[in-house]
Amino acid sequence: MKVQIGNATLYLGDCMDVLPTLAKVDAVITDPPYGKVKGDFDNEWTNRRGMLPDAERWIDAIVPTMKPNATLWWFAWPSLAGRIEERIAQRLNVLAHIVWTKPTAQGNKCRKEFLRAPMPVTERILMAEHYGADNMAKGEATYSAKCDELRGFVFEPLRAYLVGERDRAGFTTRKVAEAYQQRTGSRTVTGMAGHWFERVQWTLPTAETYEWLRSLFGGDHLRREYEDLRSEYEDLRRFFDCRSGDQFSDVWSFAAPTFNHGHPTEKPVGLMSYIVRLSVRENGTALDPFMGSGTTGVAAIQLGRKFIGIEREPKYFDIACKRIEQAVAQGQLFEPESTKQMQEAMF
């Protein structure tokens, strides 16, 4: 079943059935089940490790939904985070292993003298991107390099423009490199010119270098303004909007939700808003294949983003629909400038 609520598209069903039908998204933000959710999942694994084969299937299904510059955020139980990270790394480049500290009443009230190991008061969030999302490394006989080739080079429109202007001016990369050697006074022909025209470790030239290329090519070549190129470059690269006042390290502190809507692993809206704002541009789309009670969707709608959610438990799907309907009715609240504002906001 599919329900449209404003800019939120919600599916009642199994994500393995729905994911292959979706268009590509800007970020996947999700907290898969780890055997704690009351419902059908309880009967599928005898222990937490039992979900690892399913996690591999989920990863394989999620990766094709990600745009070349998309980000994956995967919540993981601490004891399984390392094994999940290893599996994600087979398909994606893991950028961060974030420790979310979340003091709980249970932790504060426990009888410390009865503990046999430190009480877990943290959760892990794994952040990943496509291999080669910010550049390209062709020629590697690895699975990740093959994924890059099939996926296509993220910055190909810009690279193709520079190559086209180079060819139109009658130059080769070697000739540009020789001219750059004379310009810099280097004793050898530098390979830097290759980075402007080839896929291997491609780099956008600096403004100064672009003006030099203009003068080298002469005539009416390289007519696009540099700021236009730079703007397109920022649009193509993976989005990450970290601001002054944000929790910029890999240790985050967000309190657990003050009000629970009935889901045992519900996340605070402030935390999910932070992740959405970090990785989804305005009017971009966030996907949660394990939507639960819809917190990711609430955060996305409140920040003016689009949302796709999938949930197979009817009870939680209904809760998510109601919460997202309320968020749509309220409209975009505001875009917090920092995580401090997110923590203080009354969501």
Side-chain angles (χ1 to χ4, degrees):
M1 182 174 73
K2 176 181 175 181
V3 176
Q4 189 71 40
I5 306 173
N7 283 331
T9 306
L10 311 181
Y11 294 88
L12 174 61
D14 192 315
C15 68
M16 297 301 293
D17 297 327
V18 178
L19 288 172
T21 71
L22 300 179
K24 295 185 183 296
V25 299
D26 300 284
V28 179
I29 308 167
T30 196
D31 180 19
Y34 289 88
K36 285 288 190 180
V37 177
K38 298 299 180 185
D40 292 341
F41 281 119
D42 261 0
N43 301 318
E44 296 189 11
W45 311 306
T46 56
N47 56 51
R48 288 200 181 100
R49 293 189 302 276
M51 57 79 63
L52 291 173
D54 280 319
E56 294 176 2
R57 293 172 54 243
W58 298 335
I59 294 166
D60 286 343
I62 285 171
V63 169
T65 71
M66 297 171 58
K67 291 180 180 179
N69 56 1
T71 307
L72 169 67
W73 300 86
W74 183 296
F75 284 77
W77 188 259
S79 62
L80 288 178
R83 279 169 278 192
I84 296 291
E85 180 176 347
E86 179 184 7
R87 285 159 171 81
I88 291 175
Q90 293 175 13
R91 296 294 307 272
L92 298 170
N93 177 33
V94 178
L95 297 168
H97 183 132
I98 297 159
V99 178
W100 167 31
T101 62
K102 48 173 186 176
T104 63
Q106 179 184 3
N108 294 330
K109 294 178 181 179
C110 75
R111 296 286 296 276
K112 279 70 174 177
E113 61 271 23
F114 292 130
L115 292 177
R116 300 296 297 157
M119 171 167 280
V121 292
T122 67
E123 197 165 337
R124 307 308 162 88
I125 310 171
L126 304 174
M127 176 191 181
E129 66 176 0
H130 283 289
Y131 281 104
D134 279 343
N135 52 41
M136 184 73 160
K138 288 257 188 182
E140 297 181 26
T142 63
Y143 181 73
S144 62
K146 188 64 178 176
C147 287
D148 283 339
E149 185 175 350
L150 294 173
R151 172 174 56 84
F153 179 43
V154 172
F155 300 112
E156 181 60 24
L158 289 174
R159 190 196 72 84
Y161 164 72
L162 293 171
V163 169
E165 293 299 287
R166 179 204 64 190
D167 294 347
R168 199 164 65 89
F171 278 79
T172 63
T173 299
R174 177 70 184 186
K175 287 183 178 180
V176 174
E178 291 173 349
Y180 192 71
Q181 178 190 14
Q182 295 178 0
R183 176 177 182 252
T184 59
S186 173
R187 295 182 179 180
T188 59
V189 177
T190 176
M192 191 61 211
H195 297 317
W196 305 326
F197 304 109
E198 310 302 329
R199 285 188 174 91
V200 178
Q201 297 180 336
W202 182 86
T203 301
L204 180 70
T206 64
E208 180 183 359
T209 300
Y210 187 69
E211 288 302 319
W212 173 76
L213 288 170
R214 270 180 164 173
S215 63
L216 178 68
F217 292 169
D220 62 347
H221 301 103
L222 295 174
R223 288 168 291 182
R224 290 183 62 181
E225 294 298 324
Y226 184 78
E227 286 306 313
D228 179 42
L229 292 181
R230 186 72 198 183
S231 177
E232 183 176 350
Y233 173 80
E234 292 299 333
D235 287 341
L236 289 171
R237 74 188 306 207
R238 178 178 52 79
F239 186 68
F240 189 69
D241 185 19
C242 190
R243 306 174 185 178
S244 176
D246 280 351
Q247 299 187 48
F248 61 88
S249 75
D250 58 2
V251 179
W252 295 355
S253 178
F254 285 88
T258 56
F259 178 79
N260 188 283
H261 295 83
H263 195 282
T265 60
E266 186 173 321
K267 301 297 182 287
V269 177
L271 169 60
M272 306 313 287
S273 295
Y274 182 44
I275 294 175
V276 169
R277 198 209 72 198
L278 278 178
S279 54
V280 183
R281 290 180 174 86
E282 189 173 353
N283 295 321
T285 302
L287 164 66
D288 189 345
F290 301 94
M291 177 173 60
S293 58
T295 304
T296 307
V298 171
I301 295 301
Q302 289 183 341
L303 292 177
R305 275 62 168 176
K306 300 171 187 175
F307 176 69
I308 300 173
I310 309 169
E311 175 56 44
R312 79 178 203 179
E313 298 270 358
K315 177 175 69 172
Y316 299 130
F317 182 80
D318 290 342
I319 294 172
C321 286
K322 291 176 182 177
R323 294 184 67 199
I324 291 171
E325 282 177 354
Q326 292 175 351
V328 170
Q330 287 179 311
Q332 182 175 345
L333 298 184
F334 71 109
E335 182 156 335
E337 290 296 328
S338 69
T339 49
K340 183 175 184 294
Q341 283 186 326
M342 290 177 183
Q343 289 170 318
E344 293 173 349
M346 298 299 293
F347 289 100

